[in-house]
Amino acid sequence: MRLAIEIVQLLIQSADTWLFEETLSGLSDREWMALRFLARANRFSRTPTALASFLGTTRSVASQIAAVLQSKGLMVRKPSAEDKRSIALCITGEGERFLERDPINALRDQLVSLELPDRSRLRDTLRHVLDGLDAGKRRHRADVCSQCVFLIESGAGKERSFKCRLFRKPIREKETTLLCTYFEGRS
């Protein structure tokens, strides 16, 4: 128990580098979270509903957050290429440049300095912890397509292709590293 408490305290201290009260660079914590998510979300997850799911909030609150990001020129709403009845929330070039000043980049840079096996173990351990937290709250976590049960990979080399079984759509290899709110982990 003592070690677990120490780990929690270390996580809290690391959060101090990128969580803050009120705003930083004109954005609140939730707005930063939304911007980060939209920058890393796959095309199926760039919707107000998916954003609400990721933030653990209502669609109304997520729409308000998106409106703030849009008013600052960091995001735009576009008709969805997948479903013309819905909209896609897309990061602008200004939003991408803004993310270069993201306070969380300091934590990312420290993680990059770890040896690859240590980074992999930390990632896997955090995934395991998040799975337990999500199960306890009966909620669904976003994660990358490459770890999803719905991803189908076929072929090799230049003939390699990917498809999402859930959406029954082909996806590019680059998209397999993006976040999806419809993620289902492989057991």
Side-chain angles (χ1 to χ4, degrees):
M1 182 65 98
R2 207 176 200 122
L3 181 58
I5 292 170
E6 184 179 348
I7 292 168
V8 168
Q9 289 303 316
L10 290 169
L11 288 170
I12 290 169
Q13 288 175 31
S14 74
D16 186 47
T17 64
W18 51 275
L19 286 177
F20 37 87
E21 294 179 26
E22 300 300 322
T23 63
L24 183 64
S25 301
L27 295 183
S28 70
D29 287 334
R30 282 258 170 120
E31 292 159 357
W32 272 111
M33 283 179 64
L35 187 64
R36 289 178 195 123
F37 170 73
L38 293 172
R40 291 218 44 234
N42 68 14
R43 65 180 184 225
F44 307 116
S45 298
R46 286 189 219 119
T47 66
T49 301
L51 178 61
S53 174
F54 180 79
L55 295 174
T57 190
T58 65
R59 192 174 186 278
S60 174
V61 170
S63 290
Q64 291 170 1
I65 291 169
V68 169
L69 296 176
Q70 187 170 8
S71 73
K72 294 179 183 291
L74 305 175
M75 183 216 78
V76 293
R77 298 170 193 258
K78 295 181 180 179
S80 171
E82 303 297 322
D83 178 359
K84 298 298 181 199
R85 298 169 295 170
S86 62
I87 61 165
L89 306 176
C90 302
I91 297 294
T92 63
E94 180 64 27
E96 289 174 6
R97 287 186 295 280
F98 197 80
L99 281 165
E100 291 172 10
R101 300 189 322 255
D102 187 344
I104 209 166
N105 292 347
L107 177 59
R108 177 205 60 206
D109 295 343
Q110 288 301 309
L111 293 171
V112 167
S113 72
L114 296 174
E115 296 292 328
L116 182 58
D118 293 335
R119 284 196 314 257
S120 295
R121 273 193 303 279
L122 180 58
R123 179 204 55 213
D124 296 344
T125 300
L126 287 172
R127 272 197 176 120
H128 179 75
V129 168
L130 287 173
D131 286 343
L133 291 171
D134 290 341
K137 287 188 172 185
R138 294 186 178 156
R139 71 177 183 195
H140 191 82
R141 172 174 58 88
D143 208 334
V144 293
C145 293
S146 62
Q147 301 297 311
C148 184
V149 70
F150 297 125
L151 182 69
I152 300 172
E153 182 179 348
S154 58
K158 291 186 183 214
E159 301 299 318
R160 189 173 177 194
S161 65
F162 300 90
K163 182 175 183 178
C164 177
R165 288 187 311 164
L166 179 66
F167 288 100
R168 296 186 177 110
K169 302 250 185 208
I171 60 175
R172 296 180 307 272
E173 184 171 5
K174 178 182 173 186
E175 288 181 291
T176 65
T177 63
L178 299 176
L179 291 175
C180 185
T181 55
Y182 301 96
F183 173 84
E184 290 288 336
R186 297 177 182 155
S187 299

